[in-house]
Amino acid sequence: MNFVSGIIPPSRVEDGLCFAFSNDLMLIKPHAKAHTSSYIPTVKELENLGLTLQTKLYMGTLDNTPCFCAELPDNTLEIEGMAYVGLRQVFAIAGEELFKLAGIAIQIVNWDKNHRYCGQCGNPTGQLENERAKICNKCGQLY
């Protein structure tokens, strides 16, 4: 598996993999082929299930497939054909490469969640276009 980090998402995202989290648990397809990316649902699969992605951030590509990380609402219930697992379980069932990507994904999701507001002045932050950074819309503080 070859992962290439990226900031600017491609125009076509439906078939992209989505590392989706709710309460720090990752949503997976538990009956997929061992140690393959088929454990990770696609953006389209999540949308077809009617799930609301509170955030969807581009991570890069895995073997030329776009990858996103997303935060699901905390009250997202069990979903037929899917399961929530902790990162240790991801390592056990999906393998080391996907475990590394899941680790990156949860860090990005938590960074995004924890920096929605400026720690200096309390105003909302905005995403910079060409780098994984946020900037305060009022005081200019970078995160």
Side-chain angles (χ1 to χ4, degrees), residues 51-119:
L51 294 176
T52 301
L53 304 178
Q54 288 183 310
T55 59
K56 181 176 76 179
L57 302 165
Y58 182 64
M59 295 173 54
T61 58
L62 177 64
D63 297 331
N64 296 317
T65 300
C67 293
F68 297 86
C69 55
E71 180 185 7
L72 296 167
D74 288 344
N75 62 351
T76 303
L77 303 173
E78 291 297 318
I79 300 151
E80 188 176 335
M82 303 275 187
Y84 287 105
V85 297
L87 287 182
R88 288 185 183 178
Q89 290 172 287
V90 172
F91 178 73
I93 60 178
E96 185 175 355
E97 291 301 315
L98 290 176
F99 171 71
K100 288 178 187 177
L101 289 179
I104 293 168
I106 198 165
Q107 289 178 50
I108 293 171
V109 165
N110 284 330
W111 164 80
D112 181 71
K113 182 174 18 178
N114 294 327
H115 292 90
R116 290 181 182 154
Y117 296 94
C118 179

Side-chain angles (χ1 to χ4, degrees), residues 115 118 120 125-126 128 131 133-136 139-143:
H115 292 90
C118 179
Q120 188 165 322
T125 59
L128 290 180
E131 62 180 296
K134 290 182 172 260
I135 187 166
C136 176
C139 73
Q141 179 69 33
L142 287 173
Y143 297 94

Side-chain angles (χ1 to χ4, degrees), residues 13-21 25-32 36-49 51 53 56 59 62 65-70 72 79-85 90 94 98 102:
V13 300
E14 303 85 24
D15 297 329
L17 301 176
C18 190
F19 294 79
F21 296 88
L25 295 176
M26 189 170 130
L27 189 65
I28 66 163
K29 298 184 283 187
H31 304 294
T36 67
S37 61
S38 61
Y39 276 102
I40 313 303
T42 65
V43 171
K44 186 175 186 175
E45 286 173 325
L46 296 179
E47 289 173 351
N48 287 345
L49 290 169
L51 294 176
L53 304 178
K56 181 176 76 179
M59 295 173 54
L62 177 64
T65 300
C67 293
F68 297 86
C69 55
L72 296 167
I79 300 151
E80 188 176 335
M82 303 275 187
Y84 287 105
V85 297
V90 172
L98 290 176

